[in-house]
Amino acid sequence: MLLNPVSGAGRGRRAVPRLAELAAGAGPGTELVESASGADLERQARRAVEEGIERLIVAGGDGTFHQAIQGLAGGPSELALVPLGSGNDLAGSLGIPVDLEAACELALAGEARPLDLGRAGGRWFASYCGVGFDSEASRAAQSPPPLVRGPAIYVW
């Protein structure tokens, strides 16, 4: 299980103890690995493909999933999402629950479904590709005011 600890304005970090328990309970080979950066997420995902990992569980938000897709695209490894971000658009469009335990259960035992990917500017994307205003809104959402959380960040 690959985690972005800074996802969701700290939600990823707060989930570490429970994610570690869930990973340990899932059996051998399902340990929790914290990523150090976006580039590290991509490297870790690529390594999962190289090591023959059948299903990589990734915990974080849309940015986390975007980075993981860069390493997984074109390979045989499946991507399983545990949404811990602010918006969780990709997970929401796929019907993945935001409840941590339910999302982990689905990630571990759910049936794999194909996911279309697109490519723009040399980068893979899933669900949507934005340019212009939505990209600026996403950039601004990376440092919202202290009391603004969740999807309201994008309205701000």
Side-chain angles (χ1 to χ4, degrees):
M1 184 180 303
L2 181 56
L3 166 70
N4 177 358
V6 298
S7 60
R11 188 171 173 213
R13 173 74 55 218
R14 290 188 301 275
V16 167
R18 185 64 183 132
L19 283 173
E21 286 176 21
L22 292 167
T30 312
E31 68 275 347
L32 180 63
V33 176
E34 292 185 44
S35 66
S37 66
D40 183 52
L41 272 159
E42 192 173 326
R43 277 191 302 275
Q44 294 283 355
R46 191 169 293 113
R47 192 186 87 199
V49 172
E50 291 166 359
E51 292 179 2
I53 302 294
E54 192 173 311
R55 179 176 290 187
L56 179 62
I57 300 169
V58 179
D62 290 323
T64 303
F65 306 143
H66 173 76
Q67 293 299 134
I69 286 168
Q70 304 314 304
L72 295 174
S77 299
E78 298 170 352
L79 170 64
L81 311 178
V82 175
L84 294 175
S86 299
N88 299 311
D89 291 331
L90 179 58
S93 68
L94 296 173
I96 297 170
V98 293
D99 176 75
L100 186 64
E101 280 79 10
C104 283
E105 183 178 320
L106 183 62
L108 288 165
E111 186 176 328
R113 298 179 283 168
L115 177 65
D116 290 333
L117 298 179
R119 194 161 168 93
R123 303 286 290 171
W124 294 100
F125 66 91
S127 184
Y128 65 90
C129 177
V131 295
F133 179 75
D134 57 340
S135 296
E136 290 303 314
S138 184
R139 186 182 340 273
Q142 299 305 307
S143 53
L147 299 178
V148 181
R149 297 274 184 242
I153 288 171
Y154 298 98
V155 175
W156 170 80

